[in-house]
């Protein structure tokens, strides 16, 4: 995980423009998940940064509720990130086109993309 943290620190510092990030997106597996899968950056991903669930969603002190929520999300196909996004540098805004923020809207979009990827879904699927 430390290697990915260093990689993401580099990406955040040196990939401030959308074009540079696009060169990495969907080409390289640079996003590890808590589920043991390393993914590409994809706009159709169900990646959720659950490390900092919004305070308006959960009581900050209630870790049990957070763990249960993450468990439910994972059980329906949402993939969650370990703490790989650096906190001491600015994360380029375009990163959030690929990784869902831990907000009500982000969770809903992660659930939607997980449902599209699900093999039980009778519609079109995405990786």
């Amino acid at each position: 995980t430390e290697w990915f943290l260093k990689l993401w620190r580099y990406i955040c510092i040196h990939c401030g423009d959308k074009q540079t990030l696009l060169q990495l997106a969907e080409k390289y597996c640079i996003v590890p998940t808590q589920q043991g899968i390393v993914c590409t950056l994809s706009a159709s991903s169900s990646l959720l940064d659950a490390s900092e669930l919004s305070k308006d969603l959960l009581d900050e002190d209630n870790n049990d509720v957070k763990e249960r929520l993450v468990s439910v999300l994972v059980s329906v196909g949402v993939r969650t990130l370990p703490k790989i996004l650096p906190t001491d540098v600015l994360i380029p805004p375009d990163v959030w086109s690929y990784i869902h923020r831990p907000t009500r809207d982000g969770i809903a979009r992660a659930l939607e993309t997980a449902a599209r990827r699900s093999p039980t879904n009778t519609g079109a699927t995405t990786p």
Side-chain angles (χ1 to χ4, degrees), residues 38-55:
V38 181
C39 304
T40 59
L41 286 174
S42 172
S44 63
S45 76
S46 60
L47 290 168
L48 177 71
D49 178 13
S51 63
E52 299 294 330
L53 285 170
S54 291
K55 292 177 185 173

Side-chain angles (χ1 to χ4, degrees), residues 14-108:
H14 298 289
C15 295
D17 65 330
K18 188 173 188 169
Q19 190 60 33
T20 306
L21 193 59
L22 282 172
Q23 291 173 349
L24 295 172
E26 303 199 27
K27 291 182 185 175
Y28 302 102
C29 294
I30 59 172
V31 186
T33 67
Q34 293 285 73
Q35 292 68 48
I37 299 168
V38 181
C39 304
T40 59
L41 286 174
S42 172
S44 63
S45 76
S46 60
L47 290 168
L48 177 71
D49 178 13
S51 63
E52 299 294 330
L53 285 170
S54 291
K55 292 177 185 173
D56 62 332
L57 288 174
L58 300 173
D59 180 2
E60 186 177 355
D61 297 328
N62 196 339
N63 243 1
D64 187 44
V65 173
K66 177 182 174 181
E67 288 175 16
R68 285 187 287 165
L69 175 59
V70 170
S71 178
V72 168
L73 291 170
V74 168
S75 74
V76 296
V78 173
R79 295 180 179 148
T80 58
L81 300 180
K83 288 193 173 222
I84 59 161
L85 297 177
T87 56
D88 59 340
V89 296
L90 181 65
I91 297 171
D94 293 321
V95 166
W96 303 115
S97 299
Y98 304 103
I99 299 171
H100 301 293
R101 291 178 187 245
T103 61
R104 285 184 181 102
D105 185 51
I107 290 171

